[in-house]
Amino acid sequence: MAPNSDPGFPTPPTAGRSRNMAAIKRRDTKPERAIRSLLHAAGKRYRLDFRLQLDGARPRPDIVFTRARVAVFVDGCFWHCCPEHGRQPGVNGSYWGPKLERNVARDRAADEALTAAGWTVVRVWEHEAPEKATERIIAAVDAAGPG
């Protein structure tokens, strides 16, 4: 059954909004590509969108340094409730409020599972300057050892 055919599933208010939401990418976003480019230029090699199998969790960081055990997430301000730029949508709040809360809860669960498994987690907001974010990531990778 398609999501829109379920009477309990909230539908977008307009067809245009539906197209807009369907076009949002899960990976290869502009901030993520900028950070990856800077990491590559700095000689850092990584895996992309790599699912990790941990006890009780299967997080999928955007950028993974497997040897150094550093997981990087580039979080969108809207989708992950940025304290600076995140906002609650004015339309269809009964759907978006719980959806965004689940995203944040999933983020925290991934952080806890990764940390418990000995990984370093770096979270970057999409509004952060790519250069500053890259410096933080490189510092975490270098502190973790060879990688």
Side-chain angles (χ1 to χ4, degrees), residues 26 51 57-60 73 75 79-80 98-114 123:
R26 191 184 75 72
R51 183 171 304 278
R58 294 176 43 199
R60 191 177 202 135
F73 295 89
D75 293 338
W79 296 104
H80 299 272
K99 164 69 176 152
L100 298 176
E101 288 171 14
R102 285 191 308 271
N103 288 352
V104 172
R106 186 180 60 241
D107 292 346
R108 294 305 142 257
D111 291 353
E112 290 173 15
L114 285 161
R123 287 209 173 258

Side-chain angles (χ1 to χ4, degrees), residues 15-36:
R17 174 64 54 96
S18 182
R19 278 192 309 275
N20 177 274
M21 297 309 288
I24 294 173
K25 299 188 283 183
R26 191 184 75 72
R27 60 172 279 181
D28 296 329
T29 62
K30 188 175 179 180
E32 185 182 330
R33 287 191 329 265
I35 290 167
R36 289 187 339 223

